Amino acid sequence: MKKIIIAIDGHASCGKSTLAKDLARKLKYRYIDTGAMYRAVTLFALQNNIIINNEINKNKLFDFIEKIKIDFKYNLELDKSETFLNNINVENKIRGMEVSNLVSPISIIGFVREKLVLLQQEMGKNKAIVMDGRDIGTVVFPDAELKIFLTAGVEVRAKRRFDELTKKGDNVNFDEILLNLTTRDKIDSTRKIAPLKKAENAILIDNSNIGIKQQFEKVLELCKEKKKN
Ligand code: DC
């Protein structure tokens, strides 16, 4: 069977990574969470005083950009891939609200996107990969064999995110999450470079009322078809 690239794009917190991880596990493919890469750059900027009072110093970020090393390592114990920033595990830190509130402004910067897109293309050059993000089917892999565009109502997404963070023990506020998702969707969809949009040949799935398992089975069928022909 042929090896393919599966590109999953969509709005913030609509279950892209859950679907991508499940597919990767089933197909024995590599999973890449490109949002984690933009989050890692944001964390780097916060840690190096490149963002002060929510202001991004782009010149300073440009000077530092080559010093940012991002990779993923598989944690066998937790059975999941974790994000490393300059060899330090930042998987938990990049998921917090501070990074979430600043990641969209970081991801509109052209030279940040250029660096990360090149890295992502390199990671997928041998195919057999599931990648999720905002511009995977449109910019990173416009020729991906299977493209999925996920969405769900914003209230549904905020509730899922709230439950997920609360379960982890984070003290979060539902309205803050809702505002964060709405703001990010707006910045992500209206930015000049590589805006979030459905690729023409992507399959649209609104999972507001579909369970994780049902969605997975549906997409797995699509993968099998693409792998055959
Ligand atoms: O997938 P996520 O919510 O963790 O992504 C965080 C942010 O990163 C998202 O709001 C926009 C940006 N992003 C992007 O611009 N392009 C991607 N391919 C992935 C994420």
Side-chain angles (χ1 to χ4, degrees):
M1 281 227 207
K2 131 177 153 184
K3 286 182 189 167
I4 62 169
I5 294 180
I6 303 161
I8 302 180
D9 290 304
H11 293 104
S13 286
C14 61
K16 296 185 295 292
S17 66
T18 305
L19 174 64
K21 271 183 227 164
D22 289 349
L23 289 172
R25 190 171 290 130
K26 180 78 184 178
L27 300 169
K28 300 199 166 53
Y29 274 19
R30 190 162 181 219
Y31 163 59
I32 299 294
D33 171 357
T34 63
M37 299 168 80
Y38 289 92
R39 287 172 181 272
V41 173
T42 308
L43 181 65
F44 179 92
L46 281 163
Q47 289 174 337
N48 291 278
N49 298 325
I50 292 170
I51 304 177
I52 297 174
N53 296 330
N54 292 344
E55 279 291 315
I56 303 166
N57 182 337
K58 282 192 203 156
N59 291 335
K60 191 166 173 191
L61 182 57
F62 185 77
D63 291 341
F64 273 83
I65 197 83
E66 291 311 321
K67 294 199 167 64
I68 305 179
K69 187 176 148 252
I70 300 166
D71 43 26
F72 296 100
K73 287 182 196 150
Y74 201 76
N75 182 326
L76 275 175
E77 220 170 284
L78 299 176
D79 187 26
K80 69 173 202 168
S81 161
E82 294 182 317
T83 315
F84 283 71
L85 170 62
N86 294 333
N87 300 319
I88 294 169
N89 186 336
V90 292
E91 187 54 35
N92 281 331
K93 271 206 179 121
I94 59 168
R95 308 287 166 193
M97 283 316 283
E98 194 184 18
V99 169
S100 294
N101 284 331
L102 287 157
V103 64
S104 282
I106 284 285
S107 64
I108 65 176
I109 302 172
F111 62 82
V112 172
R113 301 205 72 81
E114 261 166 45
K115 177 186 165 93
L116 297 189
V117 167
L118 280 177
L119 253 170
Q120 291 152 11
Q121 288 171 335
E122 179 64 26
M123 288 169 169
K125 71 172 194 267
N126 295 324
K127 302 211 176 197
I129 197 161
V130 188
M131 198 173 271
D132 76 17
R134 303 292 187 289
D135 60 342
I136 312 305
T138 50
V139 174
V140 182
F141 294 117
D143 297 327
E145 286 81 359
L146 179 62
K147 299 180 188 177
I148 304 289
F149 190 91
L150 282 192
T151 190
V154 69
E155 298 261 347
V156 176
R157 290 186 275 134
K159 170 81 173 60
R160 288 179 190 157
R161 187 98 190 113
F162 176 81
D163 291 346
E164 187 188 320
L165 290 171
T166 308
K167 212 165 123 194
K168 271 203 329 202
D170 286 9
N171 185 13
V172 284
N173 172 292
F174 179 82
D175 291 333
E176 191 189 350
I177 293 177
L178 185 63
L179 178 66
N180 172 260
L181 296 188
T182 323
T183 313
R184 278 205 286 146
D185 285 348
K186 182 152 185 250
I187 302 177
D188 297 347
S189 322
T190 55
R191 67 180 177 222
K192 281 210 184 86
I193 315 169
L196 167 67
K197 66 167 193 248
K198 181 186 158 304
E200 240 168 60
N201 54 352
I203 293 162
L204 174 73
I205 301 177
D206 181 330
N207 63 24
S208 306
N209 299 306
I210 316 179
I212 290 175
K213 193 157 184 289
Q214 198 187 346
Q215 171 173 269
F216 170 72
E217 297 297 342
K218 180 177 167 155
V219 179
L220 185 62
E221 271 317 300
L222 296 170
C223 293
K224 285 182 181 161
E225 273 169 38
K226 296 287 179 188
K227 276 163 68 66
K228 258 192 276 174
N229 52 49

